[in-house]
Amino acid sequence: MSVRAENLVWGVKRRVIVDDVSLVVEPNETLGLIGPNGSGKSSLLRLLAGLRRPARGTVAINGKPIAGYGGKELARIVAFVQQSASTDTNVAVEDVVRLGRTPHRSALGAWTPLDGDAVRRALEQVDMFTRRGQRWQTLSGGERQRAHIGRALAQEPSIMFLDEPTNHLDIHHQIEILRLVRDLKITSIVALHDLNLASLFCDRIVVLEAGRIVASGRPEAVLTEDLLRDVFKVEARVRRGLDHGKPEISFAVA
């Protein structure tokens, strides 16, 4: 499914956080959102996912305005993975992932084999199947993040929004999660801090600064030394790697 945003504006009180943003995400594309802290990545994700209403502008999913979707209808299409989530209830990992099936079931509907298969598959995809019975309060931050991604996968969405999904993960699971997201046959919009990971796993990159898009395109076209200096305020060397010419960034440290 495609996502189209036109002239999105959103802010808090008199501060504009997302400023006249327009973009298109094609079906099955993985789009990376990058930018300094406070550039508007998380806010833009929530606008695109329908979790916030813009002050101005529109969002359409597959050509239909997002306001035209019912809540449950939208939840069958869109999954959102936030940076971190907590609960005081000491539930099991499998209980968290089972929540992803809620949009597919009626209030009194019985649990079905299809639901069980979706949950099992999601647990395996995030490498948490053997820990499905482990209690929430005993999990590390990375394990909790993988469980939440599993919940989103159990939802079987057509579009997935992920806000810093690799936070708290070790490098092995950072790579495995982003590889999984890239290889899913769905549309994905991912906010990331790690520019090398964005380069490796995103088809296109959008760079935000102060709520506006300052660059957009394939990683090899966008991630330049000039952009890193102007937007991220760092000196870096960019060279073309062996992975289809994807840029590899090394930072100069004084």
Side-chain angles (χ1 to χ4, degrees), residues 2-222:
S2 64
V3 180
R4 177 182 293 271
E6 295 186 357
N7 307 115
L8 289 182
V9 176
W10 183 84
V12 177
K13 295 182 179 179
R14 297 190 178 187
R15 181 188 172 206
V16 177
I17 296 174
V18 175
D19 189 3
D20 196 29
V21 168
S22 298
L23 58 82
V24 177
V25 191
E26 299 294 344
N28 300 335
E29 183 178 34
T30 299
L31 179 75
L33 299 180
I34 65 173
N37 286 342
S39 60
K41 300 186 297 296
S42 296
S43 297
L44 177 58
L45 272 183
R46 283 165 171 76
L47 291 168
L48 295 174
L51 300 178
R52 285 180 178 156
R53 182 176 296 179
R56 292 199 302 274
T58 60
V59 178
I61 292 178
N62 237 26
K64 179 178 177 178
I66 203 167
Y69 288 90
K72 199 160 188 177
E73 180 186 12
L74 186 63
R76 293 193 191 104
I77 298 170
V78 170
F80 191 95
V81 179
Q82 57 188 338
Q83 287 187 37
S84 61
S86 61
T87 177
D88 293 329
T89 305
N90 199 18
V91 295
V93 168
E94 188 168 11
D95 294 328
V96 173
V97 177
R98 283 167 65 101
L99 291 174
R101 299 305 299 165
T102 302
H104 298 277
R105 305 173 63 236
S106 63
L108 300 177
W111 190 259
T112 69
L114 286 177
D115 294 321
D117 288 344
V119 169
R120 185 180 308 106
R121 186 163 53 249
L123 285 164
E124 290 172 343
Q125 286 176 306
V126 296
D127 194 23
M128 290 295 285
F129 184 75
T130 59
R131 301 189 181 188
R132 63 192 181 278
Q134 191 166 336
R135 312 309 292 182
W136 186 257
Q137 303 299 342
T138 69
L139 299 176
S140 69
E143 289 165 341
R144 293 182 183 187
Q145 185 75 333
R146 283 153 55 199
H148 278 297
I149 295 171
R151 175 198 53 75
L153 293 172
Q155 203 170 322
E156 297 184 305
S158 299
I159 304 170
M160 187 180 294
F161 297 89
L162 303 101
D163 191 3
E164 305 288 354
T166 57
N167 273 5
H168 311 299
L169 299 184
D170 58 51
I171 186 62
H172 168 74
H173 283 109
Q174 287 181 30
I175 291 171
E176 288 305 306
I177 289 297
L178 289 176
R179 180 180 288 124
L180 167 64
V181 170
R182 181 194 63 188
D183 292 344
L184 290 170
K185 302 303 180 184
I186 64 174
T187 306
S188 301
I189 302 97
V190 191
L192 289 167
H193 268 308
D194 190 308
L195 304 184
N196 281 308
L197 289 177
S199 169
L200 284 172
F201 293 104
C202 296
D203 300 309
R204 285 192 302 123
I205 289 175
V206 165
V207 184
L208 292 172
E209 183 180 25
R212 299 183 69 90
I213 294 177
V214 295
S216 176
R218 295 188 63 81
E220 56 268 29
V222 169

